[in-house]
Amino acid sequence: MRFEYQGSYENLAPKAVAALTNLDGVPLFHHVQEMRHPLEIYLTTFSDVLEQKLSLIELLNEASTELPYIGNAKTGWEKKIIAATDHWLDSVIQHVDSCKGILSSFYGANEAKQQAKRISAFSKDIEQYRKQVATIVNLIKHKHRFLRLVYFHWVGGFVPGYFVEGVVDEGVLGPDPLVHANANTAISYNRDIPLQLANIFSISAVLAQHIYEITKRPVCVNADKPFRDPNLAKVIKLVSVMRLEFFPDEVKKPVPFVKYQDKESETIRVLIELPSKRGRPQAVPENSRITTTFRVGEIARTCKLPYFGTEVPA
């Protein structure tokens, strides 16, 4: 996936926005289905993703700035970050799944078969982007899993992340093997936040292609209807300066790359790539300390830590 943009702040938007602003004269059935206009669905859910992502990044930056206080005078920051992560992941899934409703709005009551075929094709096209987040959200909602914070820290360094706490063995809690390989890994924010941003833009491009196949309308930006969400440029700019310091297992995974430049007062340049060869991530130092949290219950009173081997503690 490659998204490249150069122009004004106002017209910076994912590709689907351009497709959805060129629907004059196209039959739509959202009102019959008691839904918002498809453009409004997209903008509303996408804006929520940006808002939740921005809140999370600001909390992470605050924790990094106050690194000397971690585990000392400052308390409660871990819960705030995990709560923000939960809200962000929920908003991502809500946005991605809303794209199916957007496609549904192009089909009338007598076109049920065509609608089902289109949504099935779209779901297949985006499965690789949706799968990780959907698995995590479903485990939390339906299998009583919890998000837990984990961070590597050393003198002058701090790389936070999270994992899904699940049942590793009878009476043993740890990284859920349905998400984390061998129940021995976690997810760093340094990789996951840029990754999910790239995935959102990938899904937007897929949605735009499906809209084109339905309407045969060219995907072009309508200058009379700019996006105008200041959080988009702000989020991309903040993501672009996140350090390429990943958890040990992540350095061999596809690398997301986000670049943001202010060329002039009213002109910006954005590049989002996945996978990218532009960035060279480095693993956290081997002598790093690892800190995490668990909630020990009445029955499960043993914890397996990520990155401490695959053997399950007795």
Side-chain angles (χ1 to χ4, degrees):
M1 191 285 301
R2 179 185 174 92
F3 173 84
E4 194 167 8
Y5 174 83
Q6 182 170 333
S8 69
Y9 291 89
E10 290 187 339
N11 287 323
L12 171 64
K15 199 171 183 179
V17 175
L20 289 167
T21 56
N22 192 25
L23 298 180
D24 291 343
V26 175
L28 295 173
F29 303 91
H30 58 282
H31 55 289
V32 177
Q33 300 169 11
E34 298 181 339
M35 296 192 301
R36 299 185 182 196
H37 186 281
L39 176 60
E40 189 173 0
I41 293 174
Y42 191 91
L43 294 180
T44 300
T45 57
F46 182 65
S47 292
D48 189 41
V49 172
L50 294 177
E51 183 178 341
Q52 300 301 335
K53 186 188 288 277
L54 182 60
S55 297
L56 174 59
I57 293 174
E58 289 175 343
L59 285 171
L60 291 169
N61 288 342
E62 181 181 346
S64 180
T65 301
E66 299 185 350
L67 181 59
Y69 299 102
I70 288 178
N72 190 7
K74 289 286 183 177
T75 59
W77 61 274
E78 303 102 321
K79 291 182 179 180
K80 291 180 181 179
I81 290 176
I82 285 300
T85 304
D86 194 14
H87 295 325
W88 167 55
L89 294 175
D90 280 343
S91 71
V92 170
I93 286 300
Q94 182 181 23
H95 171 67
V96 173
D97 289 347
S98 74
C99 294
K100 299 176 186 179
I102 289 171
L103 291 174
S104 295
S105 65
F106 290 95
Y107 295 95
N110 61 341
E111 299 176 299
K113 289 185 178 180
Q114 297 96 312
Q115 175 183 327
K117 184 177 180 181
R118 174 64 61 183
I119 292 177
S120 176
F122 173 76
S123 298
K124 184 177 180 180
D125 289 343
I126 67 168
E127 179 61 21
Q128 60 176 317
Y129 308 120
R130 182 183 183 277
K131 186 175 181 180
Q132 177 187 304
V133 175
T135 299
I136 292 173
V137 171
N138 286 333
L139 284 173
I140 293 171
K141 288 185 176 181
H142 305 298
K143 295 294 183 179
H144 317 294
R145 303 302 201 256
F146 295 93
L147 293 178
R148 299 300 183 203
L149 189 72
V150 57
Y151 53 94
F152 286 73
H153 51 113
W154 61 97
V155 177
F158 172 64
V159 177
Y162 66 95
F163 64 90
V164 180
E165 179 192 271
V167 178
V168 178
D169 203 348
E170 182 68 29
V172 180
L173 301 176
D176 196 304
L178 293 176
V179 178
H180 309 287
N182 300 314
N184 192 43
T185 63
I187 300 169
S188 73
Y189 291 110
N190 280 354
R191 180 175 183 269
D192 199 42
I193 289 178
L195 175 70
Q196 299 308 332
L197 179 65
N199 284 345
I200 287 291
F201 274 81
S202 297
I203 291 171
S204 184
V206 173
L207 177 61
Q209 178 61 31
H210 278 269
I211 293 171
Y212 169 74
E213 291 173 4
I214 296 169
T215 66
K216 305 304 179 184
R217 292 289 183 89
V219 178
C220 57
V221 174
N222 186 340
D224 296 328
K225 298 179 181 179
F227 181 47
R228 287 189 179 139
D229 190 323
N231 283 340
L232 178 55
K234 188 182 297 184
V235 164
I236 293 176
K237 187 174 184 178
L238 287 171
V239 173
S240 71
V241 297
M242 294 184 74
R243 298 175 65 87
L244 289 175
E245 289 180 319
F246 295 173
F247 288 171
D249 61 299
E250 294 180 323
V251 293
K252 295 182 179 180
K253 295 181 178 181
V255 178
F257 180 80
V258 178
K259 185 177 182 179
Y260 179 97
Q261 286 182 313
D262 291 297
K263 295 183 69 67
E264 298 173 5
S265 59
E266 297 296 328
T267 302
I268 60 173
R269 182 179 179 184
V270 172
L271 174 64
I272 302 175
E273 285 185 336
L274 179 69
S276 178
K277 295 183 179 180
R278 297 172 186 270
R280 295 184 178 181
Q282 296 192 2
V284 294
E286 292 184 0
N287 61 347
S288 304
R289 298 181 64 182
I290 305 176
T291 301
T292 187
T293 57
F294 283 94
R295 179 181 295 176
V296 179
E298 292 298 322
I299 307 300
R301 303 187 65 83
T302 303
C303 302
K304 182 186 182 303
L305 302 177
Y307 302 107
F308 275 78
T310 59
E311 184 177 347
V312 177

